[in-house]
Amino acid sequence: MSPHDDARAIDILLGELYAVISGPPGERDWDRFRTLFAPGACLMPSRRTERGIVLERYDPDGYAASRGPIFRQTAFYEREVGRRLAISGDIAHAWSSYEGRFGLEGPPALAGVNSIQLHRDRSGWRIVSLLWDTGRSGPIRPEEENVS
C-alpha cells in the first residue's frame, strides 16, 4: 500500500469508529464495533472525578457492556474535528480530537482527544489501543494540545 492508501484506510476505520457509537437512543452495532479492533485491544478513558484522575480499562466487549445501557436510553453523536496522523510501516498513531452531542443540533456537550494506536495485519488496519481524555467542555484541536 502507498502512504496515501494507508492514510485513506485509516480515515475510513476511524470514521467507522465514530459512526458506530453515534446515533439516536437504541442499540449500537457492537459486532461491527468489535471488528475495528485487533485481538487484545484496550480502550482506556481517562477522566477526572472527586477521587482524582481515573483511568478505566476495557476490551471492546467490556466497553460495549459499560456504554450499551447508556446508548440504549440516550442519543449520542460524536464526531472528529481534527486529526494528526503518523504512519511508520505497519504501525500508526492518530491524535483525533472529537466533540460529542446529545442530539444532532446544538452546541457540543463534551470534547476530548483520542490517542489511537493502530496496526496493519493481513486483514488491514485495526485499532490496538484507544486512550482518550474526557470531560472537556468545548472543542479541542490536536494542534491546541502539546502533541508535537
Side-chain angles (χ1 to χ4, degrees), residues 39-93:
C42 190
L43 294 89
M44 301 164 287
S46 174
R47 59 188 176 86
R48 294 176 187 262
T49 70
E50 300 81 41
R51 300 183 327 254
I53 300 170
V54 176
L55 181 66
E56 298 173 274
R57 289 181 176 87
Y58 301 99
D59 63 9
D61 289 329
Y63 178 84
S66 75
R67 299 313 195 264
I70 298 166
F71 292 151
R72 281 193 289 277
Q73 297 179 5
T74 306
F76 182 70
Y77 298 89
E78 190 171 271
R79 72 179 185 98
E80 185 177 55
V81 294
R83 181 187 310 157
R84 291 177 63 182
L85 178 64
I87 302 170
S88 180
D90 296 321
I91 64 172
H93 183 260

Side-chain angles (χ1 to χ4, degrees), residues 80-85 94-98 112-114 136 139-148:
E80 185 177 55
V81 294
R83 181 187 310 157
R84 291 177 63 182
L85 178 64
W95 287 101
S96 174
S97 59
Y98 65 87
V113 175
N114 290 316
R136 307 281 185 110
I140 301 166
R141 307 274 191 266
E143 61 273 9
E144 295 171 357
E145 297 290 309
N146 185 15
V147 296
S148 48

Side-chain angles (χ1 to χ4, degrees), residues 92-116:
H93 183 260
W95 287 101
S96 174
S97 59
Y98 65 87
E99 56 189 26
R101 292 176 165 78
F102 295 110
L104 283 174
E105 302 298 323
L110 57 94
V113 175
N114 290 316
S115 172
I116 306 168

Side-chain angles (χ1 to χ4, degrees), residues 95-132:
W95 287 101
S96 174
S97 59
Y98 65 87
E99 56 189 26
R101 292 176 165 78
F102 295 110
L104 283 174
E105 302 298 323
L110 57 94
V113 175
N114 290 316
S115 172
I116 306 168
Q117 290 182 311
L118 304 108
H119 177 258
R120 177 181 38 209
D121 62 17
R122 292 180 209 210
S123 64
W125 288 97
R126 297 290 175 262
I127 299 167
V128 174
S129 70
L130 174 52
L131 171 67
W132 69 97

